[in-house]
Amino acid sequence: MVSEVLAPIIAAITLLTPARAQDWVVEPEGYRTDDYRSPVPETLAGARVLTTAEAEAIWRAKSGVFVDVLPRAPKPKGLPPGTVWRDKPRQNIPGSIWLPDTGYGILAPATEGYLRRGLARASGGNKQAPLVIYCLSDCWMSWNAAKRALAYGYSDVAWYPEGTDGWARANLPLAESQPEPRPDGEQ
């Protein structure tokens, strides 16, 4: 009798409760190669997935290296002489290294080398060093970059899917950042 009464109520609640889009995002086998600003999965095989509170605890304890992979808009080619170009400032988690453009699904060899060198520098060459990889919320760039770090043999990879959006919502500090230099000044 109780189940006959509760079943319609549970069904109504289920229909009226908005589901999170992320609940239906399946973790792909490979890298995401399009629609980078869309809901991400809740998992990344082989990595820890961090909440803002967990990322903050690692940051406060200085027990991990934070790696920002948000892309950087390139300086347009062919600007007339004398044109002033100002990069959009990037606010990231203080103490992070910024390796822009390293979260795309397909990387040019130079960009992949930049990522590998950047992770090696950040980790001090220790593939067991804890890495926290992020960009913005609902951004596949950090998911792809964290998956690559695992493929490169890093064993303590944490993915922070809320990125600087979640960090800012929690009123945690942000700091203006500059990207890690690329060889020969390549953009």
Side-chain angles (χ1 to χ4, degrees):
M1 180 71 179
V2 172
S3 63
E4 291 174 358
V5 172
L6 289 179
I9 294 170
I10 292 171
I13 290 171
T14 302
L15 289 174
L16 296 174
T17 304
R20 291 180 40 217
Q22 287 178 322
D23 292 344
W24 295 302
V25 178
V26 176
E27 185 176 329
E29 283 186 38
Y31 300 105
R32 178 71 173 248
T33 59
D34 62 3
D35 201 15
Y36 294 107
R37 288 305 309 269
S38 60
V40 295
E42 292 185 358
T43 59
L44 174 53
R48 290 179 294 147
V49 179
L50 302 177
T51 64
T52 298
E54 292 165 330
E56 179 187 9
I58 292 168
W59 179 74
R60 291 198 184 280
K62 297 182 172 120
S63 59
V65 178
F66 283 70
V67 180
D68 182 3
V69 298
L70 184 75
R72 180 182 191 195
K75 181 177 180 178
K77 294 185 188 291
L79 287 176
T83 302
V84 175
W85 168 257
R86 291 192 177 96
D87 285 318
K88 181 179 177 185
R90 171 63 175 149
Q91 298 282 316
N92 69 16
I93 298 169
S96 297
I97 68 160
W98 183 19
L99 301 172
D101 309 315
T102 57
Y104 289 104
I106 299 170
L107 297 181
T111 305
E112 186 156 6
Y114 173 66
L115 175 60
R116 284 180 181 271
R117 287 186 304 277
L119 293 176
R121 252 190 334 274
S123 67
N126 177 1
K127 291 205 172 181
Q128 287 77 43
L131 300 174
V132 177
I133 300 177
Y134 71 94
C135 62
L136 303 172
S137 63
D138 287 333
C139 182
W140 283 84
M141 296 284 180
S142 57
W143 190 92
N144 283 342
K147 185 174 181 79
R148 271 201 179 82
L150 291 165
Y152 297 160
Y154 289 90
S155 61
D156 193 357
V157 175
W159 172 47
Y160 177 38
E162 292 300 312
T164 51
D165 294 333
W167 197 261
R169 275 193 301 273
N171 293 315
L172 293 166
L174 293 168
E176 191 164 322
S177 179
Q178 291 298 316
E180 288 293 303
R182 293 181 188 248
D184 305 317
E186 66 185 31
Q187 293 295 324

mmCIF file of all heavy atoms in Angstrom, residues 19-26 38-43 137-139 159 161-162:
data_model
loop_
_atom_site.group_PDB
_atom_site.id
_atom_site.type_symbol
_atom_site.label_atom_id
_atom_site.label_comp_id
_atom_site.label_asym_id
_atom_site.label_seq_id
_atom_site.Cartn_x
_atom_site.Cartn_y
_atom_site.Cartn_z
ATOM 1 N N ALA A 19 17.776 17.637 -13.937
ATOM 2 C CA ALA A 19 18.974 16.800 -13.902
ATOM 3 C C ALA A 19 20.159 17.631 -14.368
ATOM 4 O O ALA A 19 20.021 18.503 -15.214
ATOM 5 C CB ALA A 19 18.795 15.581 -14.797
ATOM 6 N N ARG A 20 21.307 17.361 -13.818
ATOM 7 C CA ARG A 20 22.523 18.035 -14.254
ATOM 8 C C ARG A 20 22.961 17.433 -15.580
ATOM 9 O O ARG A 20 22.992 16.219 -15.751
ATOM 10 C CB ARG A 20 23.623 17.855 -13.217
ATOM 11 C CG ARG A 20 23.333 18.602 -11.942
ATOM 12 C CD ARG A 20 24.401 18.440 -10.904
ATOM 13 N NE ARG A 20 25.718 18.473 -11.486
ATOM 14 C CZ ARG A 20 26.724 17.725 -11.060
ATOM 15 N NH1 ARG A 20 26.562 16.910 -10.060
ATOM 16 N NH2 ARG A 20 27.906 17.801 -11.617
ATOM 17 N N ALA A 21 23.330 18.296 -16.504
ATOM 18 C CA ALA A 21 23.767 17.841 -17.823
ATOM 19 C C ALA A 21 24.987 16.940 -17.701
ATOM 20 O O ALA A 21 25.150 15.997 -18.467
ATOM 21 C CB ALA A 21 24.078 19.031 -18.718
ATOM 22 N N GLN A 22 25.842 17.203 -16.701
ATOM 23 C CA GLN A 22 27.056 16.420 -16.561
ATOM 24 C C GLN A 22 26.773 14.949 -16.259
ATOM 25 O O GLN A 22 27.586 14.101 -16.555
ATOM 26 C CB GLN A 22 27.936 16.984 -15.448
ATOM 27 C CG GLN A 22 28.599 18.284 -15.836
ATOM 28 C CD GLN A 22 29.426 18.837 -14.711
ATOM 29 O OE1 GLN A 22 29.040 18.755 -13.554
ATOM 30 N NE2 GLN A 22 30.556 19.399 -15.036
ATOM 31 N N ASP A 23 25.627 14.655 -15.662
ATOM 32 C CA ASP A 23 25.311 13.278 -15.327
ATOM 33 C C ASP A 23 25.256 12.396 -16.565
ATOM 34 O O ASP A 23 25.420 11.190 -16.480
ATOM 35 C CB ASP A 23 23.986 13.196 -14.577
ATOM 36 C CG ASP A 23 24.072 13.810 -13.188
ATOM 37 O OD1 ASP A 23 25.195 14.018 -12.685
ATOM 38 O OD2 ASP A 23 23.015 14.075 -12.609
ATOM 39 N N TRP A 24 25.043 12.990 -17.734
ATOM 40 C CA TRP A 24 24.899 12.205 -18.946
ATOM 41 C C TRP A 24 26.117 12.261 -19.846
ATOM 42 O O TRP A 24 26.124 11.679 -20.916
ATOM 43 C CB TRP A 24 23.669 12.646 -19.718
ATOM 44 C CG TRP A 24 22.414 12.355 -18.956
ATOM 45 C CD1 TRP A 24 21.994 11.146 -18.515
ATOM 46 C CD2 TRP A 24 21.448 13.291 -18.534
ATOM 47 N NE1 TRP A 24 20.804 11.261 -17.847
ATOM 48 C CE2 TRP A 24 20.445 12.589 -17.840
ATOM 49 C CE3 TRP A 24 21.321 14.666 -18.658
ATOM 50 C CZ2 TRP A 24 19.335 13.209 -17.290
ATOM 51 C CZ3 TRP A 24 20.207 15.276 -18.112
ATOM 52 C CH2 TRP A 24 19.242 14.537 -17.440
ATOM 53 N N VAL A 25 27.140 12.982 -19.449
ATOM 54 C CA VAL A 25 28.332 13.087 -20.284
ATOM 55 C C VAL A 25 29.203 11.859 -20.045
ATOM 56 O O VAL A 25 29.628 11.600 -18.932
ATOM 57 C CB VAL A 25 29.117 14.383 -19.988
ATOM 58 C CG1 VAL A 25 30.379 14.446 -20.825
ATOM 59 C CG2 VAL A 25 28.237 15.596 -20.236
ATOM 60 N N VAL A 26 29.432 11.132 -21.099
ATOM 61 C CA VAL A 26 30.230 9.916 -21.022
ATOM 62 C C VAL A 26 31.693 10.263 -21.268
ATOM 63 O O VAL A 26 32.018 11.046 -22.162
ATOM 64 C CB VAL A 26 29.738 8.884 -22.062
ATOM 65 C CG1 VAL A 26 30.616 7.643 -22.065
ATOM 66 C CG2 VAL A 26 28.292 8.520 -21.800
ATOM 67 N N SER A 38 31.663 22.938 -23.129
ATOM 68 C CA SER A 38 30.406 22.235 -22.948
ATOM 69 C C SER A 38 30.544 21.345 -21.717
ATOM 70 O O SER A 38 31.647 21.166 -21.204
ATOM 71 C CB SER A 38 30.080 21.407 -24.196
ATOM 72 O OG SER A 38 31.078 20.460 -24.444
ATOM 73 N N PRO A 39 29.436 20.806 -21.224
ATOM 74 C CA PRO A 39 29.519 19.978 -20.024
ATOM 75 C C PRO A 39 30.562 18.858 -20.168
ATOM 76 O O PRO A 39 30.721 18.276 -21.235
ATOM 77 C CB PRO A 39 28.107 19.405 -19.887
ATOM 78 C CG PRO A 39 27.246 20.455 -20.517
ATOM 79 C CD PRO A 39 28.059 20.955 -21.689
ATOM 80 N N VAL A 40 31.257 18.620 -19.077
ATOM 81 C CA VAL A 40 32.324 17.619 -19.028
ATOM 82 C C VAL A 40 31.867 16.426 -18.197
ATOM 83 O O VAL A 40 30.930 16.533 -17.413
ATOM 84 C CB VAL A 40 33.620 18.229 -18.426
ATOM 85 C CG1 VAL A 40 34.174 19.312 -19.344
ATOM 86 C CG2 VAL A 40 33.376 18.775 -17.030
ATOM 87 N N PRO A 41 32.541 15.290 -18.337
ATOM 88 C CA PRO A 41 32.176 14.145 -17.503
ATOM 89 C C PRO A 41 32.558 14.398 -16.047
ATOM 90 O O PRO A 41 33.320 15.310 -15.734
ATOM 91 C CB PRO A 41 32.989 12.988 -18.092
ATOM 92 C CG PRO A 41 33.997 13.590 -18.972
ATOM 93 C CD PRO A 41 33.615 14.991 -19.268
ATOM 94 N N GLU A 42 32.036 13.582 -15.181
ATOM 95 C CA GLU A 42 32.384 13.687 -13.760
ATOM 96 C C GLU A 42 33.617 12.870 -13.424
ATOM 97 O O GLU A 42 34.070 12.872 -12.285
ATOM 98 C CB GLU A 42 31.199 13.242 -12.902
ATOM 99 C CG GLU A 42 30.035 14.197 -12.994
ATOM 100 C CD GLU A 42 28.893 13.850 -12.068
ATOM 101 O OE1 GLU A 42 28.980 12.828 -11.348
ATOM 102 O OE2 GLU A 42 27.908 14.594 -12.061
ATOM 103 N N THR A 43 34.174 12.180 -14.404
ATOM 104 C CA THR A 43 35.309 11.291 -14.155
ATOM 105 C C THR A 43 36.413 11.533 -15.176
ATOM 106 O O THR A 43 36.178 12.084 -16.245
ATOM 107 C CB THR A 43 34.869 9.816 -14.274
ATOM 108 O OG1 THR A 43 34.343 9.598 -15.594
ATOM 109 C CG2 THR A 43 33.823 9.449 -13.240
ATOM 110 N N SER A 137 35.282 26.202 -15.803
ATOM 111 C CA SER A 137 34.255 25.168 -15.668
ATOM 112 C C SER A 137 33.705 24.841 -17.055
ATOM 113 O O SER A 137 33.750 25.669 -17.967
ATOM 114 C CB SER A 137 33.140 25.619 -14.728
ATOM 115 O OG SER A 137 32.469 26.731 -15.243
ATOM 116 N N ASP A 138 33.199 23.623 -17.192
ATOM 117 C CA ASP A 138 32.663 23.153 -18.471
ATOM 118 C C ASP A 138 33.630 23.400 -19.618
ATOM 119 O O ASP A 138 33.247 23.902 -20.675
ATOM 120 C CB ASP A 138 31.299 23.787 -18.763
ATOM 121 C CG ASP A 138 30.210 23.203 -17.884
ATOM 122 O OD1 ASP A 138 30.350 22.042 -17.458
ATOM 123 O OD2 ASP A 138 29.229 23.911 -17.617
ATOM 124 N N CYS A 139 34.871 23.036 -19.399
ATOM 125 C CA CYS A 139 35.901 23.207 -20.418
ATOM 126 C C CYS A 139 36.694 21.907 -20.543
ATOM 127 O O CYS A 139 37.306 21.448 -19.574
ATOM 128 C CB CYS A 139 36.819 24.367 -20.060
ATOM 129 S SG CYS A 139 38.079 24.650 -21.316
ATOM 130 N N TRP A 159 42.395 16.394 -11.594
ATOM 131 C CA TRP A 159 41.699 17.279 -12.520
ATOM 132 C C TRP A 159 40.711 18.104 -11.709
ATOM 133 O O TRP A 159 39.906 17.566 -10.953
ATOM 134 C CB TRP A 159 40.985 16.448 -13.574
ATOM 135 C CG TRP A 159 40.073 17.210 -14.470
ATOM 136 C CD1 TRP A 159 40.334 18.385 -15.111
ATOM 137 C CD2 TRP A 159 38.743 16.839 -14.843
ATOM 138 N NE1 TRP A 159 39.254 18.772 -15.858
ATOM 139 C CE2 TRP A 159 38.267 17.838 -15.707
ATOM 140 C CE3 TRP A 159 37.925 15.764 -14.525
ATOM 141 C CZ2 TRP A 159 36.993 17.791 -16.261
ATOM 142 C CZ3 TRP A 159 36.663 15.709 -15.083
ATOM 143 C CH2 TRP A 159 36.206 16.714 -15.940
ATOM 144 N N PRO A 161 37.793 20.290 -12.422
ATOM 145 C CA PRO A 161 36.911 20.698 -13.519
ATOM 146 C C PRO A 161 36.243 22.060 -13.339
ATOM 147 O O PRO A 161 35.846 22.670 -14.323
ATOM 148 C CB PRO A 161 35.871 19.581 -13.590
ATOM 149 C CG PRO A 161 35.900 18.920 -12.268
ATOM 150 C CD PRO A 161 37.299 19.086 -11.743
ATOM 151 N N GLU A 162 36.134 22.567 -12.132
ATOM 152 C CA GLU A 162 35.515 23.883 -11.929
ATOM 153 C C GLU A 162 36.474 25.012 -12.264
ATOM 154 O O GLU A 162 36.049 26.133 -12.542
ATOM 155 C CB GLU A 162 35.011 24.022 -10.494
ATOM 156 C CG GLU A 162 33.847 23.122 -10.170
ATOM 157 C CD GLU A 162 32.636 23.399 -11.051
ATOM 158 O OE1 GLU A 162 32.238 24.574 -11.216
ATOM 159 O OE2 GLU A 162 32.091 22.434 -11.610
#
